[in-house]
Amino acid sequence: MLTNLRREAQIRRTLRALARQRCVLILTGNVYVIERAISQDEETIANLRTCQMRGWVEPLHEAVPRASLNPDGSLPKPLRIEGHDTIYRLTDSGWTVINRTHEIAVLGLAITLAGALSGLMAGGVM
């Protein structure tokens, strides 16, 4: 049970990390320079695939070249392509998960029903 909760929390952290990414510029050859890019290890890819299955993200561009910056943040010369990645975008459902909109609406409904029931009981209707 605890393992499942940890895994779900990890998936949501990956989703929030994806939402924090920013594209700074696009170099020639369709190379995106992305700030706060998430790591592309096996765990992150599995989390993104889970989010995709749930409808929280969708692929925006596939097979986009990937390269790393120098430790000082400058572009290496020559630019070495290290591989290809998929760029994902959040769907409306993904933003709902991040903002916990559904949970807030359910909590508001529960509070409203509890208030209505207590009002009816205090009024002697029940």
Side-chain angles (χ1 to χ4, degrees), residues 14-21 32 34 38 40 48-49 51-62 86-95 98:
T14 301
L15 191 65
R16 284 191 298 273
L18 182 69
R20 286 190 293 265
Q21 293 185 138
Y32 287 66
I34 299 176
I38 58 177
Q40 293 293 326
L48 287 171
R49 294 290 197 280
C51 291
Q52 184 179 2
M53 287 189 312
R54 294 178 180 178
W56 298 347
V57 299
E58 63 184 16
L60 185 62
H61 298 290
E62 294 184 4
T86 302
I87 297 178
Y88 291 92
R89 72 176 282 286
L90 283 162
T91 62
D92 290 338
S93 300
W95 284 111
I98 290 174

Short mmCIF file of all heavy atoms in Angstrom, two decimals, residues 14-21 32 34 38 40 48-49 51-62 86-95 98:
data_model
loop_
_atom_site.label_atom_id
_atom_site.label_comp_id
_atom_site.label_asym_id
_atom_site.label_seq_id
_atom_site.Cartn_x
_atom_site.Cartn_y
_atom_site.Cartn_z
N THR A 14 6.77 14.13 -11.27
CA THR A 14 7.23 14.20 -12.66
C THR A 14 6.32 15.11 -13.47
O THR A 14 6.79 15.91 -14.27
CB THR A 14 7.27 12.80 -13.29
OG1 THR A 14 8.15 11.97 -12.53
CG2 THR A 14 7.74 12.84 -14.73
N LEU A 15 5.02 15.02 -13.23
CA LEU A 15 4.06 15.87 -13.93
C LEU A 15 4.29 17.34 -13.60
O LEU A 15 4.29 18.20 -14.49
CB LEU A 15 2.63 15.43 -13.56
CG LEU A 15 1.50 16.01 -14.38
CD1 LEU A 15 1.58 15.52 -15.82
CD2 LEU A 15 0.17 15.60 -13.78
N ARG A 16 4.51 17.64 -12.33
CA ARG A 16 4.79 19.03 -11.93
C ARG A 16 6.11 19.52 -12.51
O ARG A 16 6.23 20.68 -12.92
CB ARG A 16 4.79 19.16 -10.41
CG ARG A 16 3.40 19.15 -9.82
CD ARG A 16 3.40 19.55 -8.35
NE ARG A 16 4.15 18.63 -7.51
CZ ARG A 16 3.65 17.52 -6.96
NH1 ARG A 16 2.39 17.20 -7.17
NH2 ARG A 16 4.40 16.75 -6.21
N ALA A 17 7.12 18.64 -12.56
CA ALA A 17 8.41 19.01 -13.16
C ALA A 17 8.24 19.32 -14.64
O ALA A 17 8.87 20.25 -15.17
CB ALA A 17 9.43 17.91 -12.95
N LEU A 18 7.41 18.56 -15.32
CA LEU A 18 7.14 18.80 -16.74
C LEU A 18 6.49 20.17 -16.93
O LEU A 18 6.80 20.89 -17.87
CB LEU A 18 6.25 17.69 -17.30
CG LEU A 18 5.91 17.77 -18.78
CD1 LEU A 18 7.16 17.50 -19.61
CD2 LEU A 18 4.82 16.80 -19.13
N ALA A 19 5.62 20.54 -16.02
CA ALA A 19 4.93 21.83 -16.12
C ALA A 19 5.88 23.01 -15.91
O ALA A 19 5.61 24.11 -16.37
CB ALA A 19 3.80 21.89 -15.10
N ARG A 20 7.00 22.79 -15.22
CA ARG A 20 7.96 23.87 -14.96
C ARG A 20 8.93 24.11 -16.10
O ARG A 20 9.66 25.10 -16.09
CB ARG A 20 8.72 23.58 -13.67
CG ARG A 20 7.89 23.77 -12.42
CD ARG A 20 8.76 23.70 -11.19
NE ARG A 20 9.31 22.37 -10.96
CZ ARG A 20 8.77 21.45 -10.18
NH1 ARG A 20 7.64 21.70 -9.56
NH2 ARG A 20 9.35 20.27 -10.04
N GLN A 21 8.98 23.25 -17.08
CA GLN A 21 9.92 23.40 -18.20
C GLN A 21 9.57 24.64 -19.02
O GLN A 21 8.40 24.99 -19.15
CB GLN A 21 9.88 22.18 -19.12
CG GLN A 21 10.40 20.94 -18.50
CD GLN A 21 10.45 19.80 -19.49
OE1 GLN A 21 11.41 19.08 -19.50
NE2 GLN A 21 9.46 19.61 -20.32
N TYR A 32 15.69 22.23 -29.46
CA TYR A 32 15.08 23.09 -28.46
C TYR A 32 16.05 23.27 -27.30
O TYR A 32 16.64 22.31 -26.82
CB TYR A 32 13.81 22.44 -27.90
CG TYR A 32 12.63 22.45 -28.84
CD1 TYR A 32 12.65 21.73 -30.02
CD2 TYR A 32 11.49 23.17 -28.53
CE1 TYR A 32 11.58 21.73 -30.87
CE2 TYR A 32 10.41 23.17 -29.39
CZ TYR A 32 10.45 22.46 -30.55
OH TYR A 32 9.39 22.46 -31.41
N ILE A 34 15.91 24.04 -23.57
CA ILE A 34 14.86 24.00 -22.55
C ILE A 34 15.46 24.24 -21.18
O ILE A 34 16.40 23.57 -20.78
CB ILE A 34 14.12 22.64 -22.58
CG1 ILE A 34 13.46 22.45 -23.95
CG2 ILE A 34 13.09 22.56 -21.46
CD1 ILE A 34 12.79 21.13 -24.14
N ILE A 38 13.54 18.09 -17.51
CA ILE A 38 13.54 16.93 -16.62
C ILE A 38 14.50 15.88 -17.17
O ILE A 38 14.73 15.81 -18.38
CB ILE A 38 12.12 16.35 -16.44
CG1 ILE A 38 11.49 15.96 -17.76
CG2 ILE A 38 11.24 17.34 -15.72
CD1 ILE A 38 10.13 15.32 -17.63
N GLN A 40 15.96 12.37 -18.40
CA GLN A 40 15.35 11.35 -19.26
C GLN A 40 15.85 9.96 -18.88
O GLN A 40 16.30 9.21 -19.73
CB GLN A 40 15.65 11.67 -20.73
CG GLN A 40 14.98 12.92 -21.23
CD GLN A 40 13.47 12.78 -21.29
OE1 GLN A 40 12.94 11.71 -21.58
NE2 GLN A 40 12.77 13.86 -21.03
N LEU A 48 6.27 9.37 -17.35
CA LEU A 48 5.63 10.10 -18.45
C LEU A 48 4.70 9.21 -19.25
O LEU A 48 3.63 9.64 -19.68
CB LEU A 48 6.70 10.71 -19.36
CG LEU A 48 7.45 11.91 -18.78
CD1 LEU A 48 8.62 12.28 -19.67
CD2 LEU A 48 6.51 13.09 -18.60
N ARG A 49 5.08 7.96 -19.44
CA ARG A 49 4.20 7.03 -20.16
C ARG A 49 2.92 6.76 -19.36
O ARG A 49 1.83 6.65 -19.92
CB ARG A 49 4.91 5.70 -20.44
CG ARG A 49 6.07 5.80 -21.40
CD ARG A 49 5.61 6.08 -22.83
NE ARG A 49 6.61 5.79 -23.82
CZ ARG A 49 7.61 6.58 -24.14
NH1 ARG A 49 7.78 7.70 -23.53
NH2 ARG A 49 8.45 6.24 -25.10
N CYS A 51 1.56 8.90 -17.26
CA CYS A 51 0.78 10.13 -17.41
C CYS A 51 0.10 10.17 -18.78
O CYS A 51 -1.05 10.61 -18.90
CB CYS A 51 1.67 11.36 -17.25
SG CYS A 51 2.28 11.62 -15.59
N GLN A 52 0.78 9.68 -19.80
CA GLN A 52 0.20 9.64 -21.14
C GLN A 52 -0.99 8.68 -21.19
O GLN A 52 -2.02 8.99 -21.78
CB GLN A 52 1.26 9.25 -22.16
CG GLN A 52 0.77 9.28 -23.59
CD GLN A 52 1.87 8.90 -24.57
OE1 GLN A 52 2.99 8.59 -24.19
NE2 GLN A 52 1.53 8.92 -25.84
N MET A 53 -0.85 7.52 -20.55
CA MET A 53 -1.96 6.56 -20.52
C MET A 53 -3.17 7.13 -19.80
O MET A 53 -4.31 6.84 -20.17
CB MET A 53 -1.53 5.26 -19.82
CG MET A 53 -0.61 4.41 -20.63
SD MET A 53 -0.30 2.78 -19.93
CE MET A 53 0.08 3.11 -18.24
N ARG A 54 -2.94 7.95 -18.79
CA ARG A 54 -4.03 8.54 -18.03
C ARG A 54 -4.62 9.78 -18.70
O ARG A 54 -5.60 10.33 -18.24
CB ARG A 54 -3.55 8.91 -16.63
CG ARG A 54 -3.19 7.68 -15.81
CD ARG A 54 -2.67 8.05 -14.47
NE ARG A 54 -2.33 6.85 -13.72
CZ ARG A 54 -1.81 6.85 -12.51
NH1 ARG A 54 -1.57 7.99 -11.88
NH2 ARG A 54 -1.53 5.72 -11.90
N GLY A 55 -3.99 10.23 -19.78
CA GLY A 55 -4.51 11.38 -20.50
C GLY A 55 -4.05 12.71 -19.93
O GLY A 55 -4.62 13.75 -20.23
N TRP A 56 -3.00 12.69 -19.11
CA TRP A 56 -2.51 13.92 -18.48
C TRP A 56 -1.51 14.65 -19.36
O TRP A 56 -1.35 15.86 -19.23
CB TRP A 56 -1.88 13.62 -17.13
CG TRP A 56 -2.82 13.04 -16.13
CD1 TRP A 56 -4.18 12.99 -16.21
CD2 TRP A 56 -2.48 12.42 -14.89
NE1 TRP A 56 -4.69 12.37 -15.09
CE2 TRP A 56 -3.66 12.01 -14.27
CE3 TRP A 56 -1.27 12.17 -14.26
CZ2 TRP A 56 -3.68 11.38 -13.04
CZ3 TRP A 56 -1.29 11.54 -13.03
CH2 TRP A 56 -2.49 11.15 -12.43
N VAL A 57 -0.79 13.93 -20.22
CA VAL A 57 0.16 14.53 -21.15
C VAL A 57 -0.05 13.91 -22.52
O VAL A 57 -0.63 12.83 -22.64
CB VAL A 57 1.63 14.34 -20.71
CG1 VAL A 57 1.90 14.98 -19.38
CG2 VAL A 57 2.02 12.88 -20.70
N GLU A 58 0.44 14.62 -23.54
CA GLU A 58 0.43 14.06 -24.88
C GLU A 58 1.71 14.50 -25.59
O GLU A 58 2.25 15.57 -25.30
CB GLU A 58 -0.81 14.49 -25.66
CG GLU A 58 -0.94 15.95 -25.91
CD GLU A 58 -2.25 16.32 -26.60
OE1 GLU A 58 -3.17 15.50 -26.61
OE2 GLU A 58 -2.32 17.44 -27.12
N PRO A 59 2.21 13.66 -26.49
CA PRO A 59 3.44 14.03 -27.20
C PRO A 59 3.20 15.25 -28.08
O PRO A 59 2.21 15.32 -28.81
CB PRO A 59 3.75 12.81 -28.06
CG PRO A 59 2.92 11.71 -27.52
CD PRO A 59 1.74 12.33 -26.84
N LEU A 60 4.11 16.21 -27.98
CA LEU A 60 4.04 17.40 -28.82
C LEU A 60 4.94 17.22 -30.04
O LEU A 60 4.53 17.46 -31.16
CB LEU A 60 4.46 18.63 -28.00
CG LEU A 60 4.34 19.98 -28.66
CD1 LEU A 60 2.88 20.26 -29.01
CD2 LEU A 60 4.87 21.06 -27.73
N HIS A 61 6.18 16.80 -29.79
CA HIS A 61 7.15 16.51 -30.86
C HIS A 61 7.88 15.24 -30.48
O HIS A 61 8.28 15.08 -29.33
CB HIS A 61 8.17 17.64 -31.02
CG HIS A 61 7.56 18.95 -31.42
ND1 HIS A 61 7.03 19.17 -32.66
CD2 HIS A 61 7.41 20.10 -30.74
CE1 HIS A 61 6.58 20.41 -32.72
NE2 HIS A 61 6.80 20.99 -31.55
N GLU A 62 8.07 14.37 -31.45
CA GLU A 62 8.82 13.14 -31.20
C GLU A 62 10.15 13.21 -31.93
O GLU A 62 10.29 13.90 -32.93
CB GLU A 62 8.01 11.93 -31.66
CG GLU A 62 6.74 11.74 -30.84
CD GLU A 62 5.98 10.50 -31.22
OE1 GLU A 62 6.45 9.73 -32.07
OE2 GLU A 62 4.89 10.29 -30.65
N THR A 86 11.27 12.77 -26.72
CA THR A 86 9.93 13.25 -27.04
C THR A 86 9.63 14.44 -26.13
O THR A 86 9.91 14.41 -24.95
CB THR A 86 8.89 12.14 -26.79
OG1 THR A 86 9.23 11.02 -27.61
CG2 THR A 86 7.49 12.61 -27.14
N ILE A 87 9.06 15.48 -26.71
CA ILE A 87 8.63 16.63 -25.93
C ILE A 87 7.13 16.47 -25.69
O ILE A 87 6.35 16.26 -26.62
CB ILE A 87 8.91 17.95 -26.67
CG1 ILE A 87 10.42 18.10 -26.84
CG2 ILE A 87 8.33 19.13 -25.90
CD1 ILE A 87 10.82 19.34 -27.60
N TYR A 88 6.74 16.53 -24.41
CA TYR A 88 5.34 16.35 -24.03
C TYR A 88 4.71 17.68 -23.67
O TYR A 88 5.39 18.61 -23.24
CB TYR A 88 5.24 15.42 -22.81
CG TYR A 88 5.61 14.00 -23.11
CD1 TYR A 88 6.91 13.54 -22.93
CD2 TYR A 88 4.66 13.10 -23.57
CE1 TYR A 88 7.26 12.23 -23.20
CE2 TYR A 88 5.00 11.78 -23.84
CZ TYR A 88 6.30 11.36 -23.65
OH TYR A 88 6.63 10.07 -23.92
N ARG A 89 3.41 17.76 -23.81
CA ARG A 89 2.63 18.91 -23.34
C ARG A 89 1.58 18.41 -22.38
O ARG A 89 1.09 17.28 -22.50
CB ARG A 89 2.00 19.66 -24.49
CG ARG A 89 0.84 18.92 -25.16
CD ARG A 89 0.14 19.71 -26.24
NE ARG A 89 -0.77 20.72 -25.80
CZ ARG A 89 -1.97 20.50 -25.29
NH1 ARG A 89 -2.40 19.29 -25.13
NH2 ARG A 89 -2.75 21.48 -24.94
N LEU A 90 1.26 19.25 -21.40
CA LEU A 90 0.21 18.91 -20.45
C LEU A 90 -1.16 19.11 -21.09
O LEU A 90 -1.37 20.09 -21.81
CB LEU A 90 0.31 19.79 -19.21
CG LEU A 90 1.40 19.40 -18.23
CD1 LEU A 90 1.70 20.56 -17.31
CD2 LEU A 90 0.97 18.21 -17.44
N THR A 91 -2.08 18.22 -20.82
CA THR A 91 -3.45 18.39 -21.26
C THR A 91 -4.22 19.10 -20.15
O THR A 91 -3.70 19.37 -19.07
CB THR A 91 -4.11 17.02 -21.55
OG1 THR A 91 -4.13 16.27 -20.34
CG2 THR A 91 -3.35 16.26 -22.62
N ASP A 92 -5.48 19.42 -20.42
CA ASP A 92 -6.32 20.04 -19.39
C ASP A 92 -6.44 19.13 -18.17
O ASP A 92 -6.45 19.59 -17.03
CB ASP A 92 -7.71 20.35 -19.94
CG ASP A 92 -7.68 21.48 -20.95
OD1 ASP A 92 -6.71 22.27 -20.92
OD2 ASP A 92 -8.60 21.56 -21.78
N SER A 93 -6.51 17.83 -18.42
CA SER A 93 -6.59 16.88 -17.31
C SER A 93 -5.31 16.91 -16.47
O SER A 93 -5.36 16.79 -15.25
CB SER A 93 -6.80 15.46 -17.83
OG SER A 93 -7.99 15.37 -18.56
N GLY A 94 -4.16 17.08 -17.12
CA GLY A 94 -2.91 17.17 -16.41
C GLY A 94 -2.85 18.40 -15.51
O GLY A 94 -2.40 18.34 -14.37
N TRP A 95 -3.33 19.53 -16.02
CA TRP A 95 -3.37 20.75 -15.20
C TRP A 95 -4.34 20.58 -14.04
O TRP A 95 -4.10 21.08 -12.94
CB TRP A 95 -3.76 21.96 -16.05
CG TRP A 95 -2.65 22.44 -16.90
CD1 TRP A 95 -2.56 22.37 -18.26
CD2 TRP A 95 -1.43 23.05 -16.47
NE1 TRP A 95 -1.37 22.90 -18.69
CE2 TRP A 95 -0.66 23.33 -17.61
CE3 TRP A 95 -0.91 23.38 -15.22
CZ2 TRP A 95 0.60 23.91 -17.55
CZ3 TRP A 95 0.35 23.97 -15.16
CH2 TRP A 95 1.08 24.24 -16.30
N ILE A 98 -2.47 18.67 -11.38
CA ILE A 98 -1.49 19.51 -10.71
C ILE A 98 -2.16 20.47 -9.74
O ILE A 98 -1.71 20.65 -8.61
CB ILE A 98 -0.65 20.29 -11.75
CG1 ILE A 98 0.27 19.33 -12.48
CG2 ILE A 98 0.15 21.41 -11.08
CD1 ILE A 98 1.04 19.97 -13.61
#
